[in-house]
Amino acid sequence: MKFIKKIGSKLKNFCKDNPLLLSFVAISVINAFLLRVFTVKFAYNQVKPLLADIAAMLLMGSFSFCFKTLKGRFRYLMTMNVINLIFVAGNSIYYSNFKSFLSFSLLSTGSQLPGVMDAVFKNIMEAKDLIYLWAIPALAVVYHFCKKKTREYDSQTKQKRKRSRSFGFTAVCGLVILGIFAATLTGTDYSRLRKQWNREYVLGTFGMYVYQTSDAISSAYSRINMVFGYAEKKEAFDEFYDEKDENSEVAASAAKNDYTGIFKGKNVIVIHAESIQQFCMDTYINGEELTPNLNKLAREGLYFKNFYAQESVGTSSDSEFTFSSSLMPASSGTVAINYWDRDYATTQKMLKNMGYYTFSMHGNNGSYWNRLNLHSSLGYDKFYNYTDDFVIDETIGLGLSDKSFFRQAVPKVMEIDAEHKNWYGCFIMLTNHTPFTDIERISDYDITFRYKMYNGETGLYEDVSAPFLEGTKLGSYFKSVHYADEALGQFLADMDKEGLLENSIVVLYGDHDAKVKATEYEYYLNYDPFNETVLTEEDAGYIPVDDFYYNINRNTPFIIWSKGGECKPKEISQVMGMYDIQPTLGNMLGFDNKYALGHDIFSIPDDEENVVIFPNGNFVTDTIYYDSQKAMYFDLEDYRNVMTHASCNQVYKDTPNPIYDATKHGLFKVSTDEDYCADTCESRINDGIVDDDYIQSYASYAEEIIDISNAIIYYDMITKTEQGFEQSVEAQFDSDSRAELFTPPEIGKRRTGIPM
């Protein structure tokens, strides 16, 4: 008891003498707690991260006693306070866009920020991101009061001795709390901390400051390991492709299919559709299609309705890379900025070997996402961009408008067509880029909800217009998508007029989702136009947008179309990813990349599932969407995308402009929507439709694919020859090598009603 009282007395005196340090610790811990509230919420244990944050801040604050004066200690603590503030606010903003957290490996992409700062302030940054600023005046106020109570010690020796004791006491307290925290951790916790893929889990368990410190170490280690870790990754690389070779006989029967060589010798028109999501194609506003031109292509061509882009922090540039190479985006940094100088096995290079002229066009400057270098590395002969090749006669958002871009592109394609027998051209759209607000000044697209109401005084039915999406970010996005669809229709019409579609195929893909926030979708789903109200959580008809509803809705369009009608129109519902495009097109055009990580979608047997792996370790199959961050899955069986069924415009898409009936429309959304309410959503999570073996098999496969892709990217594993590297190997093979497709895990056999 005497010992405890003595410790208590010392602690009391320490707190009394060091309010500035304790305030610094409290402020930093509170801000880190707020970050978790706004991001991961309370999905993880809250005691663990609190202990970790307190320990980290005590250790950081202990170094303030290295300074002799209160003023010196204040300067140090304020500097650390500002640094912590930058990390907390930065992570808050970053999470709003990417559902992940900042990494030191992303510093190299900071050069891309100036081009999208408007999007950051208008579409990404929120009022809550400014709350953390309270930390600066709070610490300054504490310092102001501390100055008034400062007492001088008798000698410098006593000051030094007391600072030394304070440093030791603070550091020991920090270490003790850190030890208690470490004792609560599991093997899974340590594994996820080391791998850093599951950043949401790491920050939610280890706290903001341990996460950021661990990330700094991990980022530095990855750089060091790229110098010394080649041998280990080369061994994994060899084992992976040895296994792939062993599966060649199994895949041989599926190597050729009805689409093999169907487009051989055709020109290729690739349309990189900026930020267009698939649900837009199923969206109707007052009974009219939001994207009539895209829908026409889908009806007349091969339409892959369950397609996911697989992009990471490199967004559009990641999609360009994965589309071209069938590799995953880099886990550290981005290919466009950090690894563009590797020699990848790309679609463009393979077509060049077949006599094609390859080019790309974009209405933005050539330096954005380092495209001048990246596109050269991917194998394009020329990159047309607004810096050198277009007249900037109309700008919307980030650069040249899509309509002007496409209009100016057609004459250039005519010149290319006249000079080359075969060509491959990629047209990168731009106008439909977040924050979408600039479209408001030129668009008159109606995003209200119209209906008719009887007027007893006049005896007539009058048109009524509820505001619906006017003034919302999702409304601006719909206007922007409709504009992009119009531009696309104009482009294809102009190309057809010049005869450029006669010997061509059109390949269109959405590069990534629109980064529209969940709150926008919640408004969209819960708007009642007849009462002009928005349901809240207290209302029975309220539909929440949880992470699963949100992520499943992030799929984008993928369409292959030709005017010649070489194949019958078909809608493919099997799940497909960006890394599956190269093998699928290769089968159709007559080339193959042995090192592709995706699959020809038409060569996957009917009794097997495909799997789309995301850079954060999440994956989706035809059966489930798995969230590796939370170790939970969502049952996709018979699920219809909530965004295409539950909003008022979708409910009345087949009966637009309804005549108001109080007994029907007056009670719109009053009752619970049994298909999409919170209970129904919850019932699909971890519902037993698959077993642990199914999950672990695909999770291990995802980890392997990400590791192999990173090895290829970091070490130029396929083709580069340097000291200590093996001799380069060829990435192109003859048609027989198509039998060497790597099949997904055996557990991926399509389910037949019995959970696996």
Side-chain angles (χ1 to χ4, degrees), residues 274-277 280-281 283-285 287-295 396 402-403 406 429 431-433 436 439 442-447 474-490:
E274 172 66 45
S275 301
I276 292 182
Q277 289 181 235
C280 293
M281 296 178 62
T283 295
Y284 291 74
I285 304 294
E288 299 293 331
E289 294 174 311
L290 178 63
T291 58
N293 293 297
L294 271 173
N295 291 3
I396 303 176
D402 282 347
K403 290 184 179 179
F406 279 139
M429 300 176 71
T431 300
N432 191 48
H433 191 289
F436 316 115
I439 198 71
I442 64 166
S443 175
D444 59 358
Y445 184 66
D446 184 11
I447 51 175
L474 184 60
S476 296
Y477 173 61
F478 280 172
K479 290 183 179 183
S480 185
V481 167
H482 187 71
Y483 171 91
D485 183 78
E486 288 180 336
L488 174 64
Q490 166 213 303

Side-chain angles (χ1 to χ4, degrees), residues 526-687:
N526 292 289
Y527 180 79
D528 178 357
F530 304 108
N531 296 298
E532 292 192 21
T533 58
V534 181
L535 275 62
T536 65
E537 293 183 16
E538 288 72 32
D539 296 307
Y542 177 78
I543 299 175
V545 179
D546 76 332
D547 285 347
F548 283 114
Y549 278 178
Y550 185 85
N551 284 322
I552 293 166
N553 183 53
R554 294 178 68 184
N555 59 331
T556 63
F558 176 48
I559 301 170
I560 301 175
W561 177 91
S562 71
K563 185 179 179 181
E566 288 83 1
C567 58
K568 294 181 180 179
K570 184 177 181 180
E571 182 176 295
I572 297 92
S573 59
Q574 189 170 27
V575 69
M576 182 180 184
M578 190 70 76
Y579 64 3
D580 295 317
I581 291 183
Q582 190 197 56
T584 302
L585 286 179
N587 178 55
M588 295 173 163
L589 292 166
F591 66 83
D592 184 51
N593 170 20
K594 178 181 178 180
Y595 295 96
L597 296 179
H599 311 89
D600 169 20
I601 198 71
F602 297 114
S603 291
I604 298 175
D606 292 339
D607 64 342
E608 290 184 3
E609 293 186 303
N610 193 26
V611 58
V612 177
I613 297 162
F614 299 100
N616 62 358
N618 291 4
F619 63 80
V620 60
T621 68
D622 296 305
T623 305
I624 65 168
Y625 183 101
Y626 181 70
D627 187 335
S628 67
Q629 321 296 303
K630 299 179 175 64
M632 296 190 300
Y633 69 81
F634 184 91
D635 179 0
L636 292 174
E637 193 166 86
D638 298 324
Y639 171 71
R640 303 175 303 166
N641 187 359
V642 63
M643 303 305 168
T644 62
H645 286 82
S647 60
C648 61
N649 59 304
Q650 296 298 99
V651 170
Y652 290 97
K653 71 175 185 178
D654 296 324
T655 55
N657 207 12
I659 297 175
Y660 180 79
D661 180 347
T663 61
K664 177 182 178 182
H665 304 110
L667 300 176
F668 181 66
K669 284 190 173 293
V670 168
S671 302
T672 299
D673 188 320
E674 297 296 338
D675 291 327
Y676 299 108
C677 65
D679 289 342
T680 300
C681 177
E682 186 69 26
S683 70
R684 285 183 172 270
I685 298 174
N686 290 355
D687 63 355

